[in-house]
Amino acid sequence: MTTTKKRDLIEGRAALVVIDIMKSAFAPIPDDKRAIAHMPDYAERMARSKLAVDKAREAGIPIVFIKEVHRADLIDMGRETDGDEDIHCLDNNPLTEFAEEELGMLPDDYRIAKRRYSAFYGTDLEILLKGLKADTLILVGGLTDVCVHYTFVDAHQGDYFCRVIEDCVAGSSLEAHQASLKAMEYLQHGAVRSLDEVLSAMQAQAESHAA
């Protein structure tokens, strides 16, 4: 059996990537009326991500906010409604906007719009991360089994160290959420971490830089 080096939670420079936490996550929409299914406590998990955002700011770790958005005429929807999902994230829907207040976003934050599930596909995320000299990507947001998973995989294939905060992601169902976490852990051992672990690692990095 191949043995791999035990990695630190944060290897080199970190960046926090906040995936698809939009106003829709907190809207009072009945679960059976949503275009995309949500597991129980979805909104609570998205709200908890603000703790990671706040600590990243405090530690000097850059934050990149990602949102999926499609044109209202559906010209760029592609195959995204061929499965379980209905039409979603249209640019004329106010609920597609970032959850700025809930996340404590600032006007000069890094923001990237994507047309597909992976935050890397057809965006300038890679260029931004190279400019930030990021080595470790810490992921929060939704859906665990869709946009978080596919972004994780592309980051892994781009040779980033990848971490996902289990407390701050949520899937289309609990089963799908857990299966995707297991799949991500398969790719990188130690990828799935608790919020407390990540906050502690961020604090330690801030202290080491201040020393």
Side-chain angles (χ1 to χ4, degrees), residues 12 15-16 24 28 35 55 84 100 148 157 163 179-181 183 186 191:
L16 177 65
S24 58
K55 178 57 74 172
D84 284 353
E100 297 200 14
V148 174
Q157 294 177 144
R163 311 289 181 251
S180 285
L181 292 177
Y186 175 90

Coordinates of all heavy atoms in Angstrom, one line a residue, residues 12 15-16 24 28 35 55 84 100 148 157 163 179-181 183 186 191:
G12 N 1.6 26.0 2.6 CA 1.9 27.3 1.9 C 0.9 28.4 2.1 O 0.5 28.5 3.3
A15 N -6.2 30.2 0.4 CA -7.3 31.1 -0.1 C -8.6 30.4 0.3 O -8.7 29.2 0.2 CB -7.2 31.3 -1.6
L16 N -9.5 31.2 0.8 CA -10.8 30.7 1.1 C -11.7 30.9 -0.1 O -11.9 32.0 -0.6 CB -11.4 31.4 2.3 CG -12.8 31.0 2.7 CD1 -12.9 29.6 3.2 CD2 -13.4 32.0 3.8
S24 N -30.7 33.1 -2.5 CA -31.7 32.1 -2.6 C -31.5 31.1 -1.4 O -32.5 30.4 -1.0 CB -31.5 31.3 -3.9 OG -30.2 30.8 -4.1
P28 N -37.2 32.1 2.1 CA -38.2 31.2 2.6 C -39.0 30.5 1.5 O -40.2 30.6 1.3 CB -39.1 32.2 3.4 CG -39.1 33.5 2.7 CD -37.6 33.6 2.2
A35 N -35.7 24.9 -7.3 CA -35.2 24.4 -8.5 C -34.1 23.3 -8.3 O -33.9 22.5 -9.1 CB -34.7 25.5 -9.4
K55 N -12.7 34.9 10.0 CA -11.4 34.5 10.5 C -10.4 34.6 9.3 O -9.2 35.0 9.6 CB -11.4 33.0 11.0 CG -10.1 32.5 11.4 CD -9.5 33.3 12.5 CE -10.2 33.1 13.9 NZ -9.4 33.8 15.0
D84 N -31.6 16.2 -12.5 CA -32.6 16.5 -11.4 C -32.9 18.0 -11.3 O -33.9 18.4 -10.7 CB -32.2 16.0 -10.1 CG -32.4 14.5 -10.0 OD1 -33.0 13.9 -10.9 OD2 -31.9 13.9 -9.0
E100 N -24.7 39.0 0.4 CA -23.6 39.9 0.9 C -23.7 40.2 2.4 O -22.7 40.2 3.1 CB -23.7 41.2 0.1 CG -23.4 41.0 -1.4 CD -23.0 42.3 -2.1 OE1 -22.7 43.3 -1.4 OE2 -23.0 42.4 -3.3
V148 N -19.3 22.2 -5.3 CA -18.2 22.1 -4.4 C -17.3 20.9 -4.9 O -16.1 21.0 -5.0 CB -18.6 21.9 -2.9 CG1 -17.4 21.6 -2.0 CG2 -19.3 23.1 -2.4
Q157 N -6.8 18.5 -9.6 CA -6.1 18.2 -10.9 C -5.2 19.4 -11.3 O -4.2 19.2 -12.1 CB -7.1 18.0 -12.0 CG -7.9 16.7 -11.8 CD -9.0 16.4 -12.8 OE1 -9.2 15.3 -13.2 NE2 -9.6 17.4 -13.3
R163 N -9.0 21.6 0.8 CA -9.7 21.3 2.0 C -11.2 21.8 1.9 O -11.4 22.8 1.3 CB -9.0 22.1 3.2 CG -7.5 21.9 3.2 CD -7.1 20.5 3.7 NE -5.6 20.4 3.7 CZ -4.9 19.7 2.9 NH1 -5.5 19.0 1.9 NH2 -3.6 19.6 3.0
A179 N -21.6 11.2 0.5 CA -20.9 10.4 -0.6 C -19.8 11.3 -1.2 O -18.7 10.9 -1.5 CB -21.9 9.9 -1.6
S180 N -20.1 12.6 -1.4 CA -19.2 13.5 -2.1 C -18.0 13.8 -1.1 O -16.8 13.9 -1.6 CB -19.8 14.8 -2.5 OG -20.6 14.6 -3.7
L181 N -18.3 14.0 0.2 CA -17.2 14.2 1.1 C -16.2 13.0 1.1 O -15.0 13.1 1.1 CB -17.7 14.4 2.5 CG -18.5 15.7 2.8 CD1 -19.0 15.7 4.2 CD2 -17.6 16.9 2.5
A183 N -15.7 11.0 -1.4 CA -15.0 11.0 -2.7 C -13.9 12.0 -2.7 O -12.8 11.7 -3.2 CB -16.0 11.3 -3.9
Y186 N -11.0 10.7 -0.7 CA -10.3 9.7 -1.4 C -9.2 10.3 -2.2 O -8.1 9.8 -2.4 CB -11.3 9.0 -2.4 CG -10.6 8.0 -3.3 CD1 -10.5 6.6 -2.9 CD2 -10.2 8.4 -4.6 CE1 -9.8 5.7 -3.8 CE2 -9.6 7.5 -5.4 CZ -9.4 6.1 -5.0 OH -8.8 5.2 -5.9
A191 N -8.6 16.0 3.5 CA -9.3 17.1 2.8 C -10.5 17.5 3.6 O -10.8 18.7 3.6 CB -9.7 16.6 1.4

